[in-house]
Amino acid sequence: MTERYWGYTGRILRVDLTSGAISTEPLDLELAHKFVGGRGLGAKLLFDNLSPGTDPMSPENVLVFITGPLVGLPFFGAKHVVLTKSPLTGGFLDSYCGGHFASELKFAGFDGIIITGQAPEPCYLWVHNGKAELREAGDIWGKGCMQAEDMLKAAVKDERARVAVIGPAAENLVKFTHISTDYYHSCGRGGAGAVMGAKRLKAVVVRGAHSIRYADAGALCKFVCEEIEQRVLSDPNIANVVKYGKPLTMDYTNELGFCPTRNFQEGYFEAYTEIDGPAMRRKVVESDRGCFACNLPCGKFSRVKDGAFAGVCLVGPEYETNCLLGSNCGISYMEAIVQSNYLCDDLGLDVISAGNVIAFAMECYERGILTREDVGGLDLRFGNYRAVHEMIRMIAHRRGIGNLLAEGVKAAAQAIGHNCSDFAIQGKGLEFPGYDPRGVTGMALQYAVSDRGACHRRASPIRLERGMKRFTHEGRAQKFKELSDERIPMHCASMCDTVGGRYAKLTQKDFAFLFSAATGLDFSAEDIADLCDRVATLCLCFNLREGAPFTRQDNLSFWPRRMLEEPVPAGPAKGQVVSIPQLSIMLDEYYQLRGWDVKTGIPTRKTMARLRLEEEARQLAQVINVPEGD
Ligand code: SF4
């Protein structure tokens, strides 16, 4: 390491699983200045290392594990980001995971890892104190995430090693599989686990004692101790966030009528107070849990006290779990949701997609499209939690109808036919998270323009619903862009957006200070604004280069018919649908704000030149007509 790397370790690990070759490359500081880390730098590494047109499940797909320059500091939490070409959308995927893996990867001596190829036999990657080796994983292959993590720690003889591991579902190439860390955290969305399974890479294990130096550690500490402390103390909601965690959102989505219920047939779950934050606290929560260096421990350690699932424990469930595996499956039995969550965690399924896929199958069953025989003899009606548990197992092991559902709701609906794509709730192949866009206009815009499919993490437009006139497009595109540009620096920093947004309320000016003080590179607030446009544009370029459906026309046409033609039947959002005329106006405004062509949604040459994305523009021009711009 040289003196000039502050905030970074300065090293990227490269692993070719096919040949077994492992090498180390210096971090390019020019790239670091342009893309910072996390989502930005990871997207650039993915764009540059992936051959256009690569099949996501082929050995040629690329997996990038990446951190950011603030990771390792004793505040702000820390996330690692996994980037790849998604097997669900065929486009860009960045998936974030809390816990301790990100900081440990840097302590092990690396800012990130680029993984290509396919191992001849199951293996795991052991990264420790600046070194790395591939080890045989035949005895661990097939094991659930929990047991596998224990076995890997024993294999490296270090209880404090950090593990990113896949479960049997990913080994079986289920398309919506996660990568688990610290038992209960995961890179959940988009199917990064399946890409790892296709590579026969069971796990990445990291451990180290490398120290990270910061350009101005004193200024960073002063900022946190004085400025951030003040912001936290003035926030009236912090105590509730810590007490109840993210399941608090259940009250909000029901009070405003956009809580997915029984496969998005309704927007209000009559029994939501059985599965919201206070109910969880009362019924199953034992203690609070935080990620690395986070003093806003929103994670809840829960244990079922009695009944059929007594003893089942985990960190969670989160709001999305209570929603997609609870209300969306018609289930209000909190302890049964804990069991569903545990099964998904251990077998390796993304809870959001799993809940959607199962709710879709339930609706098919209730409509008579799938018979009892089709679903393995289960009585797959909404509310039957035992059937949900069995369906999770069937999907993970690709048994019976589970083999079809394992492809994701979009592919499953196309295979089943009977017009059931009308109620297969997904955007560009990614199943919807826990917000019905018929009740939140800004969320409809987010699902339309998000570069990883129907995603809830690009911004948080639900926050607008209490402060603005509802069910209108007015002001939504501007606000969405602002919220999105709050998130992008956090995602590049690889920090938790709950901490950075809700807790620290970080602005672009703050990020200019933080990145400068951490790295010694010079960032202004204008640089951060450019970073936001650059990263959003780069991710879209990736999708367009890969031929994934992310043009303006695609953003208007992907919607399942239910969202467009079935009004929410009751509750505070009664009568609402996703309005294409409204969405069209929001797209116009959003594209203008981003400097993308309004007619096509394609970034213009002028914008890409301004953002110094010349190589991306050149590659894009080979597959699509790139507008000049004014
Ligand atoms: S706020 Fe929650 S998710 Fe974020 S770092 Fe802290 S514990 Fe982890």
Side-chain angles (χ1 to χ4, degrees):
M1 201 192 85
T2 69
E3 192 65 26
R4 66 197 179 113
Y5 286 113
W6 285 308
Y8 300 102
T9 68
R11 295 169 14 126
I12 301 285
L13 185 66
R14 183 179 286 276
V15 180
D16 177 2
L17 294 167
T18 304
S19 66
I22 295 177
S23 58
T24 299
E25 299 168 3
L27 174 68
D28 180 335
L29 277 179
E30 204 181 315
L31 278 193
H33 194 216
K34 213 164 145 185
F35 297 99
V36 179
R39 178 178 167 194
L41 184 59
K44 178 62 177 162
L45 294 174
L46 180 65
F47 189 96
D48 287 353
N49 282 278
L50 186 106
S51 298
T54 295
D55 177 347
M57 300 301 276
S58 71
E60 287 72 35
N61 197 0
V62 177
L63 263 177
V64 178
F65 284 68
I66 196 88
T67 63
L70 304 185
V71 168
L73 284 166
F75 32 80
F76 297 133
K79 301 215 172 203
H80 66 277
V81 190
V82 175
L83 301 101
T84 191
K85 184 169 175 179
S86 166
L88 277 178
T89 68
F92 178 77
L93 174 62
D94 55 334
S95 194
Y96 299 75
C97 182
H100 294 69
F101 183 94
S103 45
E104 199 66 39
L105 175 58
K106 285 182 81 171
F107 301 153
F110 297 97
D111 294 306
I113 311 172
I114 301 170
I115 301 170
T116 56
Q118 182 187 51
E121 301 291 339
C123 67
Y124 72 93
L125 177 66
W126 170 221
V127 184
H128 52 110
N129 283 324
K131 299 192 183 111
E133 60 187 288
L134 286 167
R135 290 180 168 187
E136 187 269 320
D139 57 336
I140 306 168
W141 197 254
K143 298 288 190 287
C145 293
M146 310 292 167
Q147 188 184 0
E149 181 159 344
D150 285 341
M151 290 174 77
L152 287 156
K153 287 177 174 173
V156 301
K157 299 186 178 58
D158 195 335
E159 260 303 300
R160 301 186 68 184
R162 299 295 172 178
V163 175
V165 65
I166 58 168
E171 296 170 14
N172 294 329
L173 310 182
V174 176
K175 297 282 172 57
F176 47 92
T177 37
H178 73 205
I179 303 171
S180 166
T181 290
D182 294 349
Y183 303 102
Y184 306 116
H185 295 274
S186 60
C187 288
R189 304 248 60 201
V195 175
M196 216 160 131
K199 292 185 175 304
R200 300 197 188 99
L201 179 64
K202 180 71 177 176
V204 179
V205 186
V206 294
R207 181 79 171 117
H210 189 94
S211 60
I212 301 148
R213 285 180 284 182
Y214 297 92
D216 194 343
L220 287 167
C221 288
K222 188 168 184 296
F223 179 76
V224 170
C225 296
E226 294 176 8
E227 179 66 31
I228 300 297
E229 178 86 359
Q230 183 54 37
R231 293 184 199 179
V232 174
L233 291 177
S234 64
D235 188 321
N237 294 318
I238 285 296
N240 269 349
V241 172
V242 173
K243 186 168 181 188
Y244 299 118
K246 291 171 187 149
L248 259 187
T249 310
M250 180 64 73
D251 299 335
Y252 187 67
T253 57
N254 278 285
E255 282 162 18
L256 278 82
F258 54 87
C259 176
T261 300
R262 288 175 276 271
N263 197 35
F264 288 77
Q265 293 182 86
E266 299 148 80
Y268 176 83
F269 187 46
E270 65 285 353
Y272 79 87
T273 54
E274 294 298 315
I275 57 173
D276 62 359
M280 250 183 74
R281 191 94 211 175
R282 203 170 60 243
K283 295 178 182 183
V284 292
V285 171
E286 282 192 356
S287 59
D288 305 325
R289 288 287 169 92
C291 303
F292 173 81
C294 177
N295 48 5
L296 180 68
C298 75
K300 303 295 145 219
F301 182 79
S302 301
R303 187 190 306 274
V304 178
K305 295 181 181 68
D306 44 37
F309 310 113
V312 176
C313 57
L314 47 66
V315 176
E318 298 279 355
Y319 163 71
E320 303 291 340
T321 319
N322 288 347
C323 177
L324 277 315
L325 284 162
S327 59
N328 205 40
C329 292
I331 291 167
S332 58
Y333 182 17
M334 188 69 239
E335 288 79 355
I337 297 171
V338 172
Q339 169 71 352
S340 298
N341 194 163
Y342 180 87
L343 287 171
C344 287
D345 281 358
D346 193 42
L347 293 166
L349 295 172
D350 170 26
V351 291
I352 296 177
S353 288
N356 263 289
V357 164
I358 293 170
F360 161 78
M362 288 172 135
E363 186 169 346
C364 287
Y365 179 79
E366 290 205 347
R367 286 168 175 258
I369 295 169
L370 292 176
T371 65
R372 194 159 183 151
E373 195 184 351
D374 290 331
V375 297
L378 298 173
D379 181 14
L380 199 57
R381 281 177 294 182
F382 287 109
N384 186 348
Y385 57 83
R386 291 200 183 279
V388 170
H389 297 162
E390 186 53 21
M391 195 53 73
I392 289 170
R393 295 187 189 96
M394 288 170 71
I395 292 169
H397 295 290
R398 285 186 174 271
R399 275 194 278 116
I401 190 82
N403 188 41
L404 187 60
L405 299 175
E407 294 299 305
V409 80
K410 182 179 180 187
Q414 283 165 353
I416 292 169
H418 298 278
N419 294 326
C420 58
S421 292
D422 291 355
F423 57 88
I425 308 300
Q426 52 75 37
K428 324 279 180 72
L430 188 70
E431 291 78 12
F432 279 16
Y435 315 91
D436 188 329
R438 292 173 294 185
V440 196
T441 324
M443 194 58 88
L445 176 62
Q446 173 160 217
Y447 289 174
V449 298
S450 162
D451 43 51
R452 67 173 194 177
C455 165
H456 60 300
R457 300 309 297 266
R458 291 297 186 242
S460 187
I462 65 165
R463 278 164 46 192
L464 306 175
E465 292 305 305
R466 272 205 179 120
M468 294 176 84
K469 186 175 153 204
R470 294 194 68 197
F471 313 127
T472 172
H473 63 275
E474 284 163 24
R476 292 308 197 270
Q478 175 72 41
K479 272 287 172 197
F480 173 74
K481 163 89 164 46
E482 286 168 17
L483 292 171
S484 170
D485 287 359
E486 279 178 18
R487 292 280 174 109
I488 289 174
M490 292 183 225
H491 293 165
C492 293
S494 231
M495 71 193 297
C496 171
D497 45 29
T498 303
V499 173
R502 189 184 302 205
Y503 168 33
K505 301 175 185 65
L506 295 173
T507 64
Q508 294 188 343
K509 190 167 160 234
D510 293 331
F511 276 107
F513 162 74
L514 286 167
F515 292 160
S516 301
T519 67
L521 303 170
D522 191 23
F523 290 91
S524 65
E526 292 70 35
D527 290 334
I528 303 301
D530 282 351
L531 173 73
C532 295
D533 285 336
R534 185 178 297 120
V535 171
T537 303
L538 169 63
C539 297
L540 178 58
C541 277
F542 179 91
N543 281 334
L544 296 173
R545 186 189 75 174
E546 297 306 308
F550 287 82
T551 63
R552 179 194 176 94
Q553 184 53 36
D554 297 319
N555 295 345
L556 290 167
S557 62
F558 74 87
W559 294 90
R561 193 181 294 263
R562 167 159 295 158
M563 293 295 124
L564 303 178
E565 296 181 11
E566 287 183 32
V568 177
K574 183 177 176 184
Q576 297 300 316
V577 293
V578 171
S579 155
I580 291 298
Q582 270 190 342
L583 179 58
S584 188
I585 294 168
M586 291 191 289
L587 287 179
D588 287 353
E589 293 172 359
Y590 180 71
Y591 291 151
Q592 261 164 8
L593 291 165
R594 279 273 179 243
W596 300 345
D597 180 56
V598 170
K599 279 201 191 104
T600 60
I602 296 169
T604 63
R605 285 180 192 275
K606 187 178 170 194
T607 294
M608 285 194 279
R610 177 177 74 78
L611 300 173
R612 294 184 288 133
L613 293 172
E614 293 86 359
E615 173 56 21
E616 288 75 5
R618 191 191 66 74
Q619 291 195 29
L620 199 56
Q622 293 179 353
V623 296
I624 205 164
N625 186 22
V626 181
E628 284 299 330
D630 299 332

